[in-house]
Amino acid sequence: MSKDDRQQPNYLKDPESVLPDGSSGTSAGMNVPAEPYQPPSRVLAVSRRDLHLSRSNHAAISLNCLDERSVTSGGSIQAVRQLSLAVVRRHDSAVLYGESRPPRTVLHGPYGGGPTGTSNSRPRSELKALESRSAQLSPNTLLVRAWRSLVELRIDDALATLAQFDDEIARADASVAPRSREFAEVLRAVLLVLKSQDGAIVRAALAVLENRHRSGGRSPALAAALRIGYWKVRDFDRYYAVPRLKHAVPTHRGTHGLATIIGPTFEAVVEAEQLRLAVATRLARGAHERAVSRFGKQSPVTARAAVVLAELLYEEGRHTGLDALVMDSLTAVRTSGDEETALRGFRVLARLTARRGDTEFAFLVLKEAEALAAGRGWPGMMAESLMLRTQLLLKEDRTHDAAICIERIETLVRDFSSDDTSQASLALARAQVLVATGDARRGATILRELQAASCGKRNNYWALQLSVQLADALLGCGDQAEGRAMVIQALQVGARAGVYQTFVDAGAHVAELLLSLHHATPQDSRLPPELRPYIGSILADRAQQRAGALPTRASRVTESLSPREHSVLRSMSCGLSNKRIAQELQIAPETVKSHVKGIFIKLAVQTRAHAVSTAGALGLL
């Protein structure tokens, strides 16, 4: 064994290793040109591992990963390439408002980034340095990097790296095996399946993956990507037809991560939509544990699993520790997360804080969600954030402000007419305003259409939530018989599925009906007896939720913080590090750490971001 072989990663040395499409890790019968040795350089700052990858990547990536039948020429390949280039061009662009960065909020640091002042995009000088460094790498090394970014769910980084790969192979002196090009197209298709919410884009990417699957690709990673794509286009017959394969080589960490972390996270969402919450929670918890073990808490792939798990636990009524779980995930979301992860994270955090009565904090969370969506060009997330804000405003009888939110959603729908999420958010916001302003019958008509559309898409969980809202509207407009029947039917379905918080958060008319059903005699209510304990638990949690008093907590925290802790907290809100705070206040850094620890204890938080967020909601800043 040569020295180079000993220093290569295991999955590059292993002759049985597989690539994401399930093909062998050897390149039998192929004379792959090796790259010349490139010594370490202070200018390029290339690590020793990268140098060995540069010399061995031809044998690692081409590796028979795709055969001659894997991708047909023209058609879907060209479409996927053009779509991915369009995604890269839009990356981190402010397409909604033409701003170079999201507006600064209390949850952001001084540069519009994370709570510690980390910018949402890297400084221009750093980007130039990275581009200069990447320009010196071989095309196949770029493929390795793109694959690693995919496994961590850094989708925009992976697409940008593939764009660099395209630039490299366009050069006359670049020597790239045809199978490496084909592998790049499959990788690009997987990334677009994961990223895009546009049905046309997902279908074009699926065409590439299906072709590879038909030509012999049999890896769990490829199967997971196909299932994700079929779920996004709501083709459940094909979703369930994709075979579930065991991973051939558990030690091969690349494809194993896609198959055992990203795949199960999406499967948890599908199981939740089919009202199998226990199965969904088990899948999400397992994926989250594996993601934390491999990537840590601050990775985008961990964030995706965390927010899905948090949504499931919230629905099941298990709220302990969810704030910390979501806040940790949002740290990764702000810098390199995708739209769906960000939407789920901010949505569940806003609901958690509203449940506790922290309405101001909930508005603050949604404000940051809108700013992030505007800065990253996510109209769907922008529209749903405004819809959630509309719900909070209506609970405070601020119908005029709610109407303004609807006007903003209408503008988004006009500008992004193909975005289904924006259109659904607009319809739901309109229905809620109509119900709140006394036109419950028209609101019920819209809710009925949305419920029918959800049933057509086989999203049973969302259809159940809409049926509860529809029942509340029917009860509000005097249609007691249909509203009562719909509530009882929803209770029967929810009790079997483990749905809980949907009924706790239901409207006033549904809550009043639940109370009357719970106290009525069995003969009068005609309620199945097994539902009585379930309804009693819902009513008890609802009463406890309504009894929460945020002003008392705010007063207690304000009195417990010392003047010095107030100063440190204000400096933290500006994104200053402990060292900078020590310089500003002319105290020792260790003293600042002690004050920060005291702030964490008194605010009952675990991170600086959560401390700043909570302090802003309590009016301490």
Side-chain angles (χ1 to χ4, degrees):
M1 179 181 297
S2 67
K3 181 178 179 180
D4 288 347
D5 291 336
R6 291 195 303 270
Q7 292 176 339
Q8 292 175 359
N10 289 333
Y11 71 89
L12 294 183
K13 296 188 297 183
D14 193 346
E16 298 299 324
S17 63
V18 294
L19 284 165
D21 62 345
S23 54
S24 170
T26 60
S27 184
M30 293 181 62
N31 294 321
V32 181
E35 296 187 10
Y37 174 74
Q38 181 183 10
S41 168
R42 298 178 62 89
V43 177
L44 297 178
V46 179
S47 66
R48 181 179 300 274
R49 182 179 60 180
D50 288 334
L51 290 170
H52 286 292
L53 283 173
S54 296
R55 299 188 314 199
S56 59
N57 50 53
H58 281 285
I61 294 296
S62 53
L63 304 189
N64 275 339
C65 62
L66 298 168
D67 55 36
E68 298 301 331
R69 303 166 296 167
S70 61
V71 182
T72 57
S73 60
S76 57
I77 281 289
Q78 187 64 23
V80 168
R81 180 184 290 110
Q82 295 299 324
L83 292 170
S84 69
L85 292 176
V87 170
V88 171
R89 294 189 190 104
R90 291 198 305 267
H91 176 42
D92 284 340
S93 64
V95 299
L96 294 182
Y97 295 107
E99 298 174 355
S100 60
R101 63 173 67 94
R104 178 181 174 184
T105 68
V106 177
L107 297 185
H108 279 80
Y111 303 104
T116 58
T118 303
S119 176
N120 283 335
S121 58
R122 291 175 173 174
R124 188 181 303 273
S125 58
E126 183 180 349
L127 287 174
K128 288 183 177 180
L130 289 174
E131 291 173 358
S132 176
R133 174 182 172 182
S134 298
Q136 305 298 323
L137 301 178
S138 72
N140 285 321
T141 301
L142 292 173
L143 285 183
V144 172
R145 291 195 169 187
W147 174 251
R148 289 174 177 171
S149 297
L150 163 63
V151 173
E152 284 197 60
L153 216 57
R154 301 183 185 276
I155 300 174
D156 290 323
D157 291 346
L159 286 170
T161 303
L162 282 180
Q164 294 176 8
F165 169 84
D166 292 336
D167 293 340
E168 285 296 313
I169 63 176
R171 294 167 51 189
D173 58 343
S175 176
V176 181
R179 293 178 180 178
S180 294
R181 298 172 186 261
E182 295 168 351
F183 171 73
E185 298 304 332
V186 173
L187 179 57
R188 197 189 315 273
V190 173
L191 289 166
L192 290 176
V193 163
L194 292 172
K195 179 183 177 68
S196 180
Q197 304 299 324
D198 189 304
I201 295 178
V202 175
R203 287 186 180 89
L206 275 174
V208 177
L209 300 181
E210 288 171 343
N211 199 49
R212 174 56 196 151
H213 184 66
R214 287 192 298 268
S215 64
R218 291 294 183 270
S219 82
L222 180 60
L226 284 168
R227 280 193 291 271
I228 293 170
Y230 291 140
W231 165 68
K232 286 196 171 185
V233 299
R234 316 307 295 179
D235 190 343
F236 285 96
D237 292 336
R238 292 188 177 183
Y239 174 89
Y240 289 113
V242 176
R244 297 184 177 275
L245 306 172
K246 293 184 179 180
H247 203 279
V249 185
T251 57
H252 182 43
R253 300 180 60 172
T255 60
H256 199 54
L258 178 59
T260 61
I261 299 176
I262 300 176
T265 301
F266 278 93
E267 289 182 33
V269 175
V270 177
E271 292 300 306
E273 289 182 351
Q274 305 310 311
L275 291 173
R276 295 187 283 266
L277 266 63
V279 177
T281 302
R282 184 171 68 251
L283 286 169
R285 193 186 300 278
H288 181 252
E289 290 173 355
R290 288 188 290 271
V292 171
S293 175
R294 178 173 173 187
F295 299 108
K297 295 182 178 181
Q298 305 301 324
S299 172
V301 68
T302 306
R304 169 63 69 91
V307 297
V308 171
L309 177 61
E311 283 191 314
L312 292 166
L313 295 176
Y314 176 80
E315 182 56 68
E316 294 173 356
R318 293 184 281 175
H319 308 123
T320 304
L322 290 190
D323 292 81
L325 179 64
V326 177
M327 292 300 293
D328 286 341
S329 68
L330 291 183
T331 302
V333 166
R334 292 184 183 100
T335 55
S336 54
D338 61 287
E339 181 178 6
E340 186 177 348
T341 303
L343 175 57
R344 291 180 181 275
F346 282 102
R347 180 172 60 198
V348 71
L349 183 60
R351 288 175 174 170
L352 278 168
T353 53
R355 175 187 177 276
R356 291 196 305 266
D358 298 359
T359 307
E360 292 301 321
F361 185 22
F363 279 121
L364 191 68
V365 169
L366 294 176
K367 181 180 179 181
E368 184 184 5
E370 294 169 30
L372 180 62
R376 303 287 289 274
W378 293 336
M381 177 175 168
M382 185 76 171
E384 184 152 348
S385 299
L386 289 168
M387 185 270 293
L388 294 172
R389 176 181 287 274
T390 302
Q391 291 180 349
L392 293 177
L393 291 169
L394 292 175
K395 289 181 180 180
E396 297 185 345
D397 296 325
R398 296 165 59 182
T399 55
H400 177 70
D401 293 335
I404 294 175
C405 288
I406 290 181
E407 292 176 359
R408 295 179 63 190
I409 302 176
E410 289 173 346
T411 301
L412 287 170
V413 171
R414 284 195 299 269
D415 294 341
F416 303 92
S417 58
S418 63
D419 189 83
D420 295 337
T421 303
S422 300
Q423 296 177 2
S425 297
L426 176 59
L428 184 55
R430 283 174 173 169
Q432 292 167 345
V433 170
L434 288 171
V435 172
T437 54
D439 197 351
R441 195 166 298 279
R442 285 180 59 198
T445 301
I446 297 176
L447 290 170
R448 203 184 298 274
E449 293 173 354
L450 289 173
Q451 184 195 31
S454 297
C455 292
K457 294 180 179 179
R458 295 173 66 172
N459 190 341
N460 299 327
Y461 173 65
W462 183 232
L464 177 64
Q465 288 187 313
L466 288 171
S467 69
V468 174
Q469 296 187 46
L470 175 57
D472 190 72
L474 292 172
L475 293 169
C477 66
D479 195 344
Q480 298 293 321
E482 185 180 3
R484 186 178 187 277
M486 190 168 290
V487 169
I488 293 177
Q489 182 181 11
L491 286 170
Q492 291 174 324
V493 173
R496 290 194 299 268
V499 176
Y500 185 78
Q501 197 65 38
T502 293
F503 296 99
V504 176
D505 296 337
H509 299 294
V510 169
E512 184 179 350
L513 177 61
L514 291 176
L515 190 61
S516 65
L517 291 173
H518 184 63
H519 291 297
T521 62
Q523 294 79 12
D524 294 337
S525 66
R526 298 179 183 178
L527 184 74
E530 64 271 14
L531 291 181
R532 287 186 175 276
Y534 179 56
I535 296 175
S537 176
I538 291 171
L539 292 172
D541 199 350
R542 185 181 178 91
Q544 182 181 3
Q545 180 174 315
R546 297 298 184 271
L550 179 62
T552 303
R553 180 190 174 206
S555 176
R556 183 173 65 252
V557 172
T558 303
E559 293 173 358
S560 65
L561 289 176
S562 67
R564 181 62 78 183
E565 286 172 336
H566 272 288
S567 301
V568 172
L569 186 57
R570 283 192 293 270
S571 298
M572 287 169 56
S573 70
C574 294
L576 300 183
S577 64
N578 286 349
K579 185 176 180 181
R580 287 287 306 279
I581 295 174
Q583 294 172 351
E584 291 279 341
L585 301 180
Q586 297 182 349
I587 57 179
E590 293 300 324
T591 305
V592 175
K593 290 182 182 179
S594 177
H595 288 315
V596 171
K597 184 177 180 180
I599 292 170
F600 282 7
I601 294 173
K602 293 175 182 179
L603 294 180
V605 297
Q606 297 180 351
T607 65
R608 296 169 76 93
H610 197 181
V612 173
S613 302
T614 303
L618 296 174
L620 302 180
L621 300 175

